[in-house]
Amino acid sequence: MPAERKKPASMEEKESLLNSKEKDCSERRPVSSREKPKEEIKLTAKKEVIKVPEDKKKKLEEDKRKKEDKERKKKEEEKVKAEEELKKKEEEEKKKHEEERKKQEEQAKRQQEEEAAQLKEKEESLQLHQEAWERHQLRKELRSKNQNAPDNRPEENFFSRLDSSLKKNTAFVKKLKTITEQQRDSLSHDFNGLNLSKYIAEAVASIVEAKLKISDVNCAVHLCSLFHQRYADFAPSLLQVWKKHFEARKEEKTPNITKLRTDLRFIAELTIVGIFTDKEGLSVIYEQLKNIINADRESHTHVSVVISFCRHCGDDIAGLVPRKVKSAAEKFNLSFPPSEIISPEKQQPFQNLLKEYFTSLTKHLKRDHRELQNTERQNR
């Protein structure tokens, strides 16, 4: 066999190049219409697969954002709520502190007022105690002087040195009709320089007729003591004139309440200081008080007279202990003067008389109160 002819090298290279070109062309060859839908389906599916995770991711992110917003909003609300609660708590604490402060201030103020009231009450009680002892001592000393007056009156030659002129004596007697506490010193001075032996009756009449105030009674008692210690016939004359004066008053339809109150106090003081004996003075006082009370059992128009008598003379005449005195004695351990000028046996009739009047007065007040309540009900 004939030997094959060898192809030249250049030809092999050419064939190799052609083959590779054909391969490239075949690879770049367009896809046929049959193969194209499959590829599109694959791409669409691939896109959908990619799209689904993206939507899910978006949703998750949205949910996460909403959750964070919700949590943030919740935290803000909680913060606001906490701040409000804190503010409310602070306000409550402030209010509580303010109330406590006010309460403490009120308590301190009340305590100060109570202490001030107690101090004032103590001062008043001490003053009452001092006044009671001073009055008791003065009465006791004056009573002793007046009871011992018969043994200590001046001799006849004493009166010769005094002024007996009509002008000065009558002027003095006229002044006795208008006795006031402010005139005590001037009247005492005038009395010491006058010889009133011939003017006792006129002086007594002026004293009984004098329109005294309650505050002037002590001055009148002082002048009566001066008369009694110097003139023996003064006290009997005064007692007789008082009796006539009270007898005349029984006929009065509308007695002068002010004069009645002053006269009863005056006659009681004259008895306490010993110008009248206990028997004489207490008899006149009891008779007058009894007449007032018996005539006043229904109307009680003279209650002010009885109350004034009890306030000013009740301790010595009737042995009454004022409520203020009793309270001060118990509260501050004070010892008030005993009622020893008039004996308890002589005080008893006055106590019984005043108790009866008090009972009738309480019944009257209760009756008036019931009538007032009935009137109020009718008005309603």
Side-chain angles (χ1 to χ4, degrees):
M1 250 178 114
E4 293 181 0
R5 263 187 323 186
K6 287 185 182 181
K7 292 181 183 179
S10 58
M11 289 295 289
E12 288 179 1
E13 288 174 2
K14 284 181 182 178
E15 285 178 3
S16 175
L17 288 168
L18 286 171
N19 288 334
S20 62
K21 281 181 181 180
E22 286 177 1
K23 191 176 178 180
D24 289 338
C25 288
S26 65
E27 285 177 359
R28 284 197 299 259
R29 191 179 52 189
V31 181
S32 63
S33 60
R34 193 176 290 176
E35 290 175 351
K36 189 176 180 181
K38 288 181 182 179
E39 291 294 329
E40 285 179 357
I41 289 166
K42 283 181 184 180
L43 287 170
T44 306
K46 192 176 180 181
K47 283 179 183 178
E48 285 178 358
V49 170
I50 292 166
K51 192 177 178 182
V52 169
E54 284 178 359
D55 291 345
K56 194 174 180 182
K57 190 177 178 183
K58 273 187 177 182
K59 192 177 180 183
L60 287 170
E61 286 176 357
E62 186 70 23
D63 291 343
K64 188 179 178 183
R65 187 179 59 77
K66 285 181 180 179
K67 192 177 179 181
E68 285 174 354
D69 289 344
K70 194 176 180 181
E71 285 178 359
R72 188 175 65 255
K73 193 175 180 182
K74 190 178 178 182
K75 283 180 182 179
E76 286 176 357
E77 287 176 355
E78 286 176 355
K79 188 179 177 182
V80 170
K81 193 176 179 182
E83 286 176 355
E84 286 176 356
E85 285 179 358
L86 185 65
K87 191 177 178 181
K88 191 177 178 182
K89 195 175 179 182
E90 285 175 356
E91 286 176 357
E92 285 176 358
E93 288 289 329
K94 190 178 178 182
K95 192 177 178 182
K96 192 177 178 182
H97 287 314
E98 189 68 22
E99 286 175 358
E100 285 178 1
R101 186 181 63 78
K102 283 183 180 178
K103 194 176 179 181
Q104 287 174 358
E105 285 178 358
E106 286 175 3
Q107 193 174 357
K109 189 179 178 182
R110 190 164 55 248
Q111 191 174 353
Q112 285 177 357
E113 287 174 355
E114 286 174 0
E115 287 174 359
Q118 193 172 3
L119 184 64
K120 188 180 178 182
E121 187 182 358
K122 189 174 181 180
E123 287 174 357
E124 288 176 354
S125 298
L126 290 171
Q127 187 177 355
L128 185 68
H129 177 260
Q130 186 180 350
E131 287 174 357
W133 274 106
E134 285 176 359
R135 189 179 65 166
H136 177 75
Q137 197 64 31
L138 287 170
R139 280 179 169 180
K140 205 172 176 183
E141 289 174 3
L142 192 56
R143 182 181 173 86
S144 178
K145 277 185 182 180
N146 289 329
Q147 286 177 337
N148 297 324
D151 300 329
N152 298 314
R153 286 192 180 109
E155 300 292 334
E156 287 295 328
N157 59 357
F158 170 78
F159 296 100
S160 62
R161 297 195 299 268
L162 301 177
D163 192 341
S164 301
S165 65
L166 178 66
K167 185 178 180 180
K168 288 188 177 179
N169 279 276
T170 51
F172 179 79
V173 169
K174 283 182 180 178
K175 285 181 181 179
L176 294 177
K177 289 184 179 180
T178 55
I179 298 171
T180 60
E181 185 63 36
Q182 289 78 17
Q183 293 177 317
R184 179 192 285 253
D185 293 338
S186 65
L187 288 171
S188 300
H189 181 267
D190 292 344
F191 175 85
N192 289 331
L194 296 173
N195 180 6
L196 293 156
S197 303
K198 296 178 182 179
Y199 302 92
I200 296 300
E202 291 85 348
V204 165
S206 294
I207 289 170
V208 173
E209 291 172 10
K211 294 179 180 179
L212 302 174
K213 294 180 180 178
I214 289 292
S215 57
D216 302 325
V217 171
N218 287 333
C219 179
V221 171
H222 168 70
L223 288 169
C224 289
S225 296
L226 294 179
F227 270 100
H228 174 66
Q229 291 164 20
R230 183 177 288 185
Y231 305 101
D233 56 342
F234 175 79
S237 298
L238 185 62
L239 185 63
Q240 289 303 316
V241 174
W242 271 121
K243 286 181 178 179
K244 287 179 183 178
H245 178 71
F246 287 135
E247 284 295 324
R249 179 170 282 164
K250 286 182 182 178
E251 298 177 3
E252 294 179 2
K253 292 182 179 179
T254 54
N256 187 332
I257 300 294
T258 305
K259 186 77 170 72
L260 184 60
R261 180 168 56 244
T262 309
D263 289 351
L264 195 61
R265 162 88 187 277
F266 194 5
I267 197 84
E269 290 287 351
L270 291 172
T271 304
I272 290 167
V273 299
I275 292 173
F276 301 146
T277 63
D278 290 349
K279 185 178 180 181
E280 294 169 340
L282 293 175
S283 175
V284 173
I285 298 165
Y286 184 81
E287 192 65 30
Q288 291 306 305
L289 199 59
K290 187 178 178 181
N291 291 337
I292 292 168
I293 287 173
N294 287 338
D296 204 37
R297 286 187 184 276
E298 294 298 324
S299 61
H300 297 97
T301 53
H302 295 165
V303 65
S304 63
V305 177
V306 180
I307 289 173
S308 176
F309 173 79
C310 292
R311 182 184 293 120
H312 297 290
C313 311
D315 52 347
D316 290 315
I317 301 293
L320 303 179
V321 180
R323 190 177 295 170
K324 278 186 178 180
V325 170
K326 192 175 180 182
S327 175
E330 290 174 356
K331 202 165 187 179
F332 303 106
N333 196 25
L334 299 171
S335 118
F336 281 82
S339 178
E340 59 185 10
I341 292 175
I342 309 295
S343 65
E345 293 79 13
K346 294 174 182 177
Q347 291 174 348
Q348 193 61 47
F350 290 94
Q351 288 180 4
N352 296 336
L353 197 62
L354 292 169
K355 281 179 183 176
E356 287 176 14
Y357 187 73
F358 178 77
T359 303
S360 68
L361 180 62
T362 52
K363 286 179 180 177
H364 187 173
L365 290 172
K366 286 178 180 178
R367 186 172 65 249
D368 285 354
H369 183 61
R370 283 196 299 272
E371 289 175 3
L372 183 62
Q373 285 180 320
N374 291 334
T375 306
E376 286 179 348
R377 279 196 291 271
Q378 289 172 4
N379 290 340
R380 284 198 296 271

